[in-house]
Every structure is written in structure tokens, then in C-alpha cells.
Amino acid sequence: MTKTGLLDKYLEAREDMVRLLKDRGIADERVLKAMLQVERHLFVPIPLRNHAYDDAALPIGEGQTISQPFTVAVMTEALHVNEYDKVLEIGTGSGYQTAILAAMGIRVFTIERISSLLKTARQILESLNVKFVSKTSDGTIGWKEFSPFDGIVVTAGAPEIPKTLIEQLKVGGKLVVPVGSLDFQQMKVVTKLNENNEFEVADKADFKFVPLIGREGWHENDG
Ligand code: SAM
């Protein structure tokens, strides 16, 4: 049975997806458990549901995508957060990453710049009783009111590390952000070292994201 009370015809596909994530090196059992639990097909447009458990990004409208499951797993694992921690997500998109974090018991604050996407994501998340706080805004400037956060995850590609987001992290907290050109980005795991906002950066693999557009991101007409 699913959260919605219906027979889960996608369970086998989701189990295969999680096996693939393990094979690709995702080791955090909490992340794997959440990805087995959250029904990704509910976050993709109905005509694409049969592809919901492919390890692929899929279009969700407005030129945006739901991230590839492997990417979501890598970013979630890299945050190194625990139950009850506070995480800020930049780029709500479909709401899938929000649901994964919430399934891990994390208090999620999420910002999306396209209001129609946030409206749809809210409807899906609320229908699944997911608890989260959200707003339509430019996430590159964070959400000061609720800061500091234990972790911040940016689900769109930035030209450089957004410094305001580091200011809104707790000391020891991690900012996970893909940084690079419009064509491809390298995943950066940024750890805040002290109250002076000094930080260290660990580089992960390359990915391809839609652009982060905003004051500390790309400009609307870049590219
Ligand atoms: N986390 C999403 C999911 O699980 O579906 C992935 C969404 S998609 C890869 C990235 C999203 O970032 C897009 O919906 C895009 O509109 C949004 N975005 C881009 N720049 C943004 C900004 N400055 N603030 C908030 N959202 C932004």
C-alpha cells in the first residue's frame, strides 16, 4: 500500500532504482530508505510516469526538470544532516527533493523562483502530508528569517558559490551546490568553518543542471 492508500504498482521499479543507487556508491541507509519510500512517480507529469524510476532527469514544465535520482541521492548524502535538522533547499521544482528530506525527518525550508511550479509542488506535497515551509523568491539570497541552517542544498547550477548562503549556515554546516558554466557544473560541498564565514570546499563529480537564476546566480538573459 502507498501513502495514498492505493496498491503500489511502481514498488518494484522503485526497488530497482534504489539497488542502482547502491551500485553507484550511495551508502547512507537513511537516504536509500527515503528514496524507497517516496513515490517519485507522483512528482512527474502523468504522461512520463512510466519513466519515473529511470535514473534520469525529466521535464516538469517551464523549461525545468525533476533531478535525476542519483543526483538527488548524492546531494542529500553530501549534506550530512540528521533528523530534526533544518535544511534550506533552493529550487523546489517538482517537490521531490523536499519530500526526500522530509522523509528523513528533516525540517525543510524550500524556495522556488517560478510560482506555477511551487503551486503544483505544494499541492502534491500537501496531498502526501509532507511538512515543509516554502515561498516563491530568489533563493540565491537565502531565507534570513529562518537561518542559520544545518545544511543548504542548491538544486540548480550556479556560476560561483553564493556567499550569502554561507552566511546563513551554522558553523560546521554544509552547502551543497553545483558550480560551473551553463553547460556543466561540478558539485561542491562547502563546509562553513567559523563565524567569519571562512569555508573549505570539497569537489565531487560533474553534473548538468538547469541554471540558478538570481542576484547571486546567472542573469535571466545569460547564455
Ligand atoms: N529540487 C528539484 C526537484 O526535486 O524537482 C529540482 C528542480 S530543478 C533541477 C531546479 C529548480 O531551481 C527549477 O525549478 C528552477 O526554477 C529553480 N531555480 C532556479 N533559480 C532559482 C533561484 N534563484 N531561486 C529559487 N529557485 C530557483
Side-chain angles (χ1 to χ4, degrees):
M1 287 289 191
T2 67
K3 271 194 173 179
T4 46
L6 301 169
L7 198 65
D8 188 354
K9 73 169 186 162
Y10 294 101
L11 180 58
E12 223 172 277
R14 206 156 53 249
E15 286 171 345
D16 288 347
M17 178 190 82
V18 170
R19 251 190 302 277
L20 181 84
L21 296 175
K22 266 189 193 170
D23 291 347
R24 293 194 67 183
I26 304 299
D28 188 332
E29 286 297 336
R30 300 166 313 156
V31 175
L32 295 166
K33 190 173 162 213
M35 295 196 65
L36 186 59
Q37 184 183 327
V38 176
E39 297 165 84
R40 189 172 187 258
H41 62 275
L42 300 177
F43 295 86
V44 307
I46 290 170
L48 297 175
R49 282 199 172 166
N50 283 341
H51 295 284
Y53 298 101
D54 296 355
D55 193 22
L58 296 169
I60 54 169
E62 305 284 357
Q64 306 303 319
T65 54
I66 177 173
S67 301
Q68 184 184 350
F70 178 64
T71 310
V72 173
V74 166
M75 295 182 94
T76 308
E77 189 170 61
L79 278 170
H80 278 286
V81 282
N82 295 306
E83 205 174 353
Y84 308 120
D85 278 356
K86 246 166 63 177
V87 168
L88 176 65
E89 176 193 22
I90 313 300
T92 318
S94 68
Y96 179 67
Q97 171 85 72
T98 310
I100 295 292
L101 291 166
M104 292 169 65
I106 287 156
R107 291 178 290 155
V108 192
F109 299 79
T110 183
I111 306 177
E112 170 56 54
R113 66 179 278 275
I114 301 175
S115 58
S116 60
L117 291 182
L118 185 57
K119 189 172 169 224
T120 307
R122 274 181 178 152
Q123 281 167 353
I124 298 166
L125 290 164
E126 282 162 12
S127 75
L128 297 170
N129 289 322
V130 175
K131 299 278 172 284
F132 63 101
V133 182
S134 64
K135 70 170 175 179
T136 301
S137 183
D138 171 12
T140 67
I141 53 172
W143 203 340
K144 197 161 193 298
E145 190 186 341
F146 292 111
S147 68
F149 297 96
D150 297 284
I152 301 180
V153 60
V154 181
T155 70
E160 52 190 58
I161 296 168
K163 300 297 181 300
T164 302
L165 296 185
I166 296 173
E167 289 166 18
Q168 294 185 17
L169 267 182
K170 288 184 188 168
V171 171
K174 293 190 192 305
L175 162 65
V176 181
V177 54
V179 176
S181 68
L182 285 166
D183 294 326
F184 77 96
Q185 306 84 30
Q186 185 171 42
M187 194 68 75
K188 308 258 178 203
V189 182
V190 181
T191 306
K192 177 163 168 169
L193 297 176
N194 52 42
E195 291 293 357
N196 295 329
N197 296 308
E198 288 176 308
F199 58 90
E200 66 183 19
V201 182
D203 291 332
K204 298 243 174 199
D206 288 343
F207 290 86
K208 166 91 181 119
F209 279 84
V210 294
L212 180 74
I213 296 172
R215 197 175 82 188
E216 294 190 37
W218 297 98
H219 300 296
E220 200 104 41
N221 41 12
D222 282 335

